[in-house]
Amino acid sequence: MRLRARFGGKMITAVLILAACAAGVSFMVFQQGMVLAKDFYIIGVSPNAPILDDQRFHIVQVPIADSAQVLKDKRIDVYLTGASLYYRNDDRSQYAAGAMKTYLGKREIALLAQNYPLNQAFPLRVEINYLKAPATDIGSASPLTLADILSKAAKEKAAASPPTGGDITEGAGSQPLPPGEAIPNETDEMVRQQLQGLQSAKLIPEFKAEFAGQGEVIVPSLMSPPIPLAQVMLAFAYILPIFFISIFFTSGFLEEKLDRKLNILLSAPISPFQIIIGKMLPYIGYSLLIVILITLVLHGNLLLALAIFFPVILFIFAIYLGVALQYRTFKDQTFFSLVAVTGITGYLVFPAMFVGINDLSYVSPLTLAVQMYRGVDITPYQYMLSTVPMLLIFVLAVTVGSRVFNEEYLLSFRPLHVKIRDAIYYAMNKSHLAISTAIFSLLFIPVVFMVEMGVITISFNLPKALALGFSLFICVIIEEIAKSLTVVVTIEHRLVKRWFQVLVLALVSAAFFFIGEKLLLFMSLKVISESLFTTAVFAGNMLWIPLLVHMGCTSAVCLITWKTGLKGYPLAVLVGSLLHGLYNLSLIGVFK
Amino acid sequence: MAMVWREMKALRKEKTIMFAILIQLFIASFSSVILLGIMVYYDPGSISQNSQVGLDVGVIGNHNSMLIKYLVDRNYRVRIYDDASRAEASFKAGRLDAIVILPDSDKGVVNMKLVLPDMDAQATLALMLLKDPMERYENYLRDQEGVTLRYHDVQGKPFTTYEFLYTLIIPILMFFPAFIAGSMVIDSISEEVENKTLDTLLSAPVSINYITGAKIIASVVVGAFQCILWIVLLGFNGFSIQNAGWILLLSIMITGIIAILALLVALVFRDRERSQFIYSLVILVLFALTYFISPSPFALVARLATADPYVGATQLIIYFVMLAVLVAATPFVTRKLMSN
């Protein structure tokens, strides 16, 4: 309905024309091959140099006689002849040489395959075997022992000996054999397959289950790493359409807010929760439809894809609900939406880049999607680690959203931090402060977790020595704020009358935050399967001391705020963070 | 001038610029993480150089193989075993990252076996770290067969980071402010339309072109400021940007072009939601189209930033002409659109 109302007449023509242009242009770009670094390296070539077919190279013909001078004058980056590559010592030339090395290496390998028999061109074949690794007590996929692998090797050797015996040794010696007379090797077929992979340049990256399967034979010079592009492509295929839909959701919401149509709804006999869910449902429906369509196009497992992306959809809508509830002007909304898009995309894409390299990649549901397309099984723990935080954030957003859904809150113009405190105040159950505090502490954890991930990512910009300290300190501040915020709101609104009430709430908040945090850690460790580490963390002392530290710091923050009032809160957070930070530093052994 | 100040003040109040800068910081950070991801796959060598990843390799079979020499050359710890069960025990105890089983001689076709831990992460890393010594060994075997590879002794520097930074990140950082500028122009126009403040301004003795001109100039100034900031920040991080003046000029001209286009879109559609949507699509199509200009704005920034002697002021003329045409035509178009 809404989409139709917005996009009628002039609009639809414009959208159609533009969409057609976009499709046409992207098709043409796709046909040409997308190269960002067009003509980036300047390659001087001699008349007898091989032909370079790569758009990154800007080719300049230079006679051999002038080559040294031209290279010295920096009019070319490197100079290529039929036999050698010449370059300078400066960075520009060195990088160009690096790029040429990779390009020429591949080209030469392809030439080898054409000009020599397989046995001479690719004399080394490596069979990959997996052996049950140390410290893994989980069910292993390979029941092999080294003796199995070795006895297999002995059998193969016996089989490979030619029946004539004696006169020809294995591998046909160093005499080059003319093509056609090469002694066939049983690994030849596998080499041929890899050669085919090299020759047919794939535009769409493959979802390889792993680098090399059990018993797979690889040739080092033909070995190509799995391209992480697949993850990024998946992100764009699934996430971008959901973003588009959720932007319409926010815009619609905001517009009704400004038109005061929401006021009419508020006076109707339906609960705020029903209004929010009712507004969200159609858009969630559209998003699910898109997930179904994309999965069908990509030939994925439909049920699994829905199970993976449903929490992601809810998460994205939760963020956008927050944006819509907090802001009154469109300008605010544009920028907060942009921040949200960048943040969410980063959070989803960044861990998924490390699929198969680091198991922490399972914090992103996108990793599950990559694994689904690779045909790898997903364990319940992995599924929970990536989806539970998202679902919790949705619950948080909707709960708080339906509590703050009143005219006074929605239409007030106040700074962000005041609006957040107000939201907590409205969302609280005033007769059960301790329970509210505990629930908020738990619900804040995924938010803290995601913000901390963002902080760690940003710290990559800093020099290494600074990065650790910076991210540690900011993370501590974030945690202290998360633990104390609810209590501070009770102080602000005079819901607590005595200092020991503050203390009790602070202790409850810290304890539940700690429990939630450890649960999250437990889940991630289950996924990472470092059993030794798990036992170390859950062994006696390691649990009690951090719990006491959490409680102590939060109590300090809350009590200082109780004494000094809201103005003292930043100072209180700073004190609490310093205490917490000192403990963390001693933990990583700075003071030893 | 007073109008420009009014716009700048409005922008400062909205704190939007802070967000824009924050977003760009995010882009830059996430790119560096993504880059790290790519490097793990393509350039394990550079990671092992940086973090001193050692590798413990057990060898069973030919003790005189050249492969052992190449492994030692890379500073991997090599242990030779006569007895498979001892090798297996070491592997199970976690003292070995990989076991290599070699045939008796380095002649002819060598079918070797590589035993890796049954753990995704470790196996991938070990295989990537072994790729280089195995390739050298392969070249040695080829050489024995009378097959020589050309150019295999070229050194050079690993280029992935360099290429990624100069052809993707720096151009994005230089053009993102332009995208934001257009978006800001649309917000500012549609807000004035919705709040009906445009009518008030129009009744004052200023022409519509002063108002729109002020909005565009304000957005270009803000865009330029962000570019300068990025150039300085990248400099601090040790990434030198050559021809910074030309790059800045290019970025300013493109910001101007985009801001004017955004203005026209906003004046045609008037409400914010549709304008922003159409604007995003227009930008998408335009940026894709620039791919066919040679050099494209992206490539031009990359080549200017690395001091390519074949690019300079001449390549900027086309953008200057485009901007000039738009600046000349906009007053007429604006008046026409307003009178409708």
Side-chain angles (χ1 to χ4, degrees), chain A residues 4-33:
Chain A
R4 210 181 306 151
R6 284 271 127 202
F7 295 96
K10 184 160 61 170
M11 185 70 181
I12 202 79
T13 330
V15 169
L16 282 179
I17 294 173
L18 281 170
C21 287
V25 170
S26 20
F27 180 72
M28 286 196 301
V29 173
F30 192 68
Q31 287 282 304
Q32 288 210 349

Side-chain angles (χ1 to χ4, degrees), chain B residues 3-158:
Chain B
M3 295 296 291
V4 175
W5 272 116
R6 170 179 172 264
E7 288 302 321
M8 297 282 279
K9 260 162 85 182
L11 284 177
R12 209 183 55 211
K13 217 169 65 199
E14 291 287 341
K15 292 181 192 159
T16 42
I17 295 316
M18 283 315 292
F19 292 129
I21 291 172
L22 193 73
I23 293 166
Q24 290 167 59
L25 199 65
F26 251 91
I27 294 180
S29 326
F30 283 124
S31 326
S32 49
V33 173
I34 287 174
L35 179 67
L36 188 75
I38 293 173
M39 296 234 307
V40 172
Y41 290 98
Y42 287 100
D43 237 349
S46 66
I47 287 170
S48 63
Q49 276 161 24
N50 292 336
S51 59
Q52 298 296 319
V53 178
L55 202 65
D56 292 277
V57 187
V59 176
I60 302 174
N62 186 4
H63 295 178
N64 303 316
S65 171
M66 284 301 280
L67 179 62
I68 297 175
K69 179 186 175 300
Y70 298 135
L71 287 172
V72 173
D73 281 354
R74 284 288 297 242
N75 286 327
Y76 299 156
R77 287 173 294 275
V78 178
R79 278 182 230 160
I80 292 166
Y81 292 89
D82 290 315
D83 183 0
S85 60
R86 274 187 44 226
E88 189 172 4
S90 299
F91 185 82
K92 291 249 152 114
R95 286 196 294 273
L96 290 179
D97 299 304
I99 300 176
V100 173
I101 304 168
L102 288 165
D104 302 335
S105 81
D106 276 352
K107 287 211 174 104
V109 175
V110 169
N111 284 309
M112 71 175 240
K113 287 180 198 297
L114 182 61
V115 179
L116 297 170
D118 190 17
M119 286 171 94
D120 222 7
Q122 276 88 331
T124 310
L125 187 66
L127 196 55
M128 286 318 295
L129 290 174
L130 285 170
K131 186 176 191 276
D132 175 69
M134 290 200 303
E135 263 182 306
R136 287 182 67 193
Y137 182 47
E138 191 182 16
N139 279 338
Y140 167 79
L141 293 174
R142 281 194 190 112
D143 218 33
Q144 299 288 99
E145 297 276 313
V147 178
T148 5
L149 271 187
R150 288 182 298 177
Y151 312 113
H152 72 271
D153 53 346
V154 173
Q155 294 295 316
K157 280 189 182 174

Side-chain angles (χ1 to χ4, degrees), chain A residues 7 20 36 58 62 96 101 146 211-212 269 331-332 358 379 390 421 517 565:
Chain A
F7 295 96
L36 275 176
H58 176 191
V62 181
K101 177 191 167 130
L146 194 57
F211 221 148
K331 220 187 256 178
D332 282 346
N358 193 319
T379 69
M390 307 217 144
R421 286 206 309 270
E517 194 187 47

Side-chain angles (χ1 to χ4, degrees), chain A residues 218-392:
Chain A
I218 58 165
V219 173
S221 53
L222 293 178
M223 187 166 107
S224 62
I227 303 168
L229 212 65
Q231 282 87 305
V232 182
M233 279 181 53
L234 266 185
F236 279 98
Y238 280 104
I239 308 294
L240 277 192
I242 302 177
F243 273 139
F244 259 106
I245 293 173
S246 56
I247 285 170
F248 283 118
F249 161 71
T250 342
S251 293
F253 213 103
L254 199 58
E255 202 166 312
E256 291 197 357
K257 203 159 116 176
L258 294 180
D259 288 353
R260 313 235 160 191
K261 277 186 199 152
L262 276 183
N263 299 18
I264 306 169
L265 273 178
L266 279 171
S267 53
I270 37 173
S271 69
F273 178 76
Q274 284 170 319
I275 300 177
I276 291 177
I277 295 294
K279 290 222 158 293
M280 234 183 222
L281 267 182
Y283 295 101
I284 292 183
Y286 287 134
S287 311
L288 284 176
L289 205 68
I290 284 183
V291 169
I292 293 174
L293 278 177
I294 293 169
T295 314
L296 289 178
V297 170
L298 293 176
H299 302 292
N301 178 338
L302 196 56
L303 278 180
L304 196 55
L306 284 176
I308 292 169
F309 283 102
F310 188 56
V312 178
I313 293 172
L314 292 184
F315 169 67
I316 294 177
F317 275 91
I319 302 282
Y320 278 89
L321 176 67
V323 172
L325 288 177
Q326 295 288 341
Y327 282 91
R328 276 201 45 179
T329 67
F330 281 120
K331 220 187 256 178
D332 282 346
Q333 193 217 340
T334 302
F335 284 95
F336 271 81
S337 300
L338 267 173
V339 172
V341 169
T342 344
I344 297 171
T345 320
Y347 180 76
L348 292 173
V349 175
F350 146 55
M353 296 294 297
F354 298 92
V355 180
I357 295 206
N358 193 319
D359 287 332
L360 260 183
S361 63
Y362 280 104
V363 293
S364 160
L366 223 53
T367 303
L368 300 179
V370 174
Q371 297 296 49
M372 173 183 87
Y373 280 103
R374 287 162 146 198
V376 174
D377 288 338
I378 296 163
T379 69
Y381 279 114
Q382 291 168 346
Y383 180 75
M384 277 162 62
L385 179 71
S386 56
T387 53
V388 167
M390 307 217 144
L391 290 174
L392 281 180

